[in-house]
């Protein structure tokens, strides 16, 4: 079955520092991959999605970026974190005809 | 683009009472529909899904949902809630992409 390894589980970073969150897929190939963010008291907001290597679509403008250097690797980055970047970040995979999603465990990011 | 609306951000309900969590989506094209649950300090877990066939879908923990194509809705129901049902519930729609609703926080009151 498909799994996503996402790390780290928690992260505390100072304002202005860089960020790199990574998720790695196992058990399938060529999935659609998504980065979502859940800010405190709010729902899941789609940040980026990727349908293949090097293909990234952004849903909302922000100081974050995403990359997909390999089929099973999806990276979320920032050059300089803002306080408003704090939240729960979730990597999601979707295989085939979108019949089921599989999830990373999430990263709780606190920017101080 | 698809949009998914969960009309209630917070739903408090007494233990053993029935509950309905509402979900509406924007597009009438062919979609797959899901409900996910996020228990405190845990990841997302699939409750149930509608792909095709019967419009009444039964999931885990006694939950069920009904797909209504004409109203573009997929409301989640449980006839009698338990304290352990306290969690965040997310509706999701898959068409050409995968979209989550903003979530409904269900709090079961003893």
């Amino acid at each position: 079955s498909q799994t996503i390894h996402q790390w780290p589980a928690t992260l505390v970073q100072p304002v202005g520092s860089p960020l790199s969150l990574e998720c790695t897929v196992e058990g399938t190939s060529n999935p659609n991959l998504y980065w979502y963010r859940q800010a405190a008291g709010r729902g899941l907001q789609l940040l980026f999605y990727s349908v293949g290597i090097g293909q990234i679509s952004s849903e909302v403008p922000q100081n974050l970026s995403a990359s997909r250097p390999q089929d099973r690797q999806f990276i979320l980055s920032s050059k300089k974190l803002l306080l408003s970047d704090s939240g729960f970040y979730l990597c999601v995979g979707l295989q085939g005809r979108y019949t089921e999603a599989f999830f990373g465990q999430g990263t709780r990011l606190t920017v101080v | 683009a698809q949009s998914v609306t969960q009309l209630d951000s917070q739903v408090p309900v007494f233990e053993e009472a029935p509950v309905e969590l509402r979900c509406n989506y924007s597009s009438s094209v062919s979609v797959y529909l899901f409900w996910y649950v996020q228990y405190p300090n845990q990841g997302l877990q699939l409750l149930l899904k509608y792909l095709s066939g019967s419009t009444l879908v039964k999931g885990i923990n006694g939950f069920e949902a009904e797909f209504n194509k004409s109203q573009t809705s997929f409301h989640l129901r449980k006839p009698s809630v338990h304290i352990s049902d306290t969690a965040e519930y997310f509706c999701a729609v898959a068409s050409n992409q995968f979209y989550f609703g903003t979530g409904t926080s269900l709090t079961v009151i003893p």
Side-chain angles (χ1 to χ4, degrees):
Chain A
S1 63
Q2 310 99 324
T3 58
I4 289 181
H5 298 282
Q6 184 182 343
W7 68 92
T10 59
L11 190 59
V12 180
Q13 292 283 99
V15 169
S17 64
L19 173 73
S20 181
L21 300 181
E22 183 169 344
C23 77
T24 303
V25 177
E26 289 186 1
T28 188
S29 59
N30 198 32
N32 282 11
L33 295 173
Y34 303 78
W35 278 111
Y36 287 88
R37 176 172 61 197
Q38 183 181 27
R42 304 188 65 177
L44 285 165
Q45 179 187 34
L46 178 62
L47 301 176
F48 301 95
Y49 67 90
S50 171
V51 299
I53 297 173
Q55 300 179 63
I56 306 294
S57 296
S58 174
E59 286 289 302
V60 292
Q62 60 221 319
N63 75 322
L64 299 170
S65 62
S67 62
R68 190 164 176 182
Q70 300 179 42
D71 179 49
R72 300 178 186 183
Q73 186 184 29
F74 199 31
I75 300 171
L76 182 70
S77 304
S78 174
K79 293 181 179 179
K80 289 185 177 181
L81 284 170
L82 306 173
L83 287 174
S84 57
D85 292 325
S86 294
F88 179 77
Y89 288 81
L90 185 66
C91 182
V92 180
L94 210 58
Q95 185 63 61
R97 296 181 63 192
Y98 310 105
T99 56
E100 190 158 343
F102 46 102
F103 302 92
Q105 282 301 103
T107 298
R108 192 161 300 280
L109 171 67
T110 304
V111 181
V112 297
Chain B
Q2 183 71 253
S3 69
V4 183
T5 302
Q6 290 183 245
L7 297 168
D8 306 300
S9 59
Q10 295 185 338
V11 174
V13 61
F14 286 104
E15 191 174 15
E16 298 184 3
V19 71
E20 178 181 81
L21 307 183
R22 296 179 291 171
C23 173
N24 288 84
Y25 59 96
S26 61
S27 175
S28 61
V29 300
S30 180
V31 294
Y32 302 116
L33 301 159
F34 308 82
W35 275 100
Y36 290 89
V37 59
Q38 184 182 28
Y39 297 107
N41 300 314
Q42 295 187 31
L44 269 72
Q45 178 181 359
L46 180 66
L47 265 182
L48 49 79
K49 61 185 176 184
Y50 170 79
L51 306 181
S52 64
S54 172
T55 56
L56 184 62
V57 180
K58 293 189 182 298
I60 62 172
N61 301 338
F63 283 93
E64 63 181 31
E66 185 158 18
F67 169 54
N68 188 319
K69 187 175 182 179
S70 62
Q71 297 185 7
T72 60
S73 68
F74 191 54
H75 301 331
L76 181 70
R77 302 185 183 99
K78 186 169 182 177
S80 176
V81 295
H82 190 268
I83 294 291
S84 60
D85 293 323
T86 294
E88 190 84 16
Y89 292 80
F90 293 94
C91 179
V93 174
S95 52
N96 59 327
Q97 287 302 340
F98 196 78
Y99 299 92
F100 282 100
T102 51
T104 297
S105 178
L106 175 64
T107 301
V108 180
I109 305 164

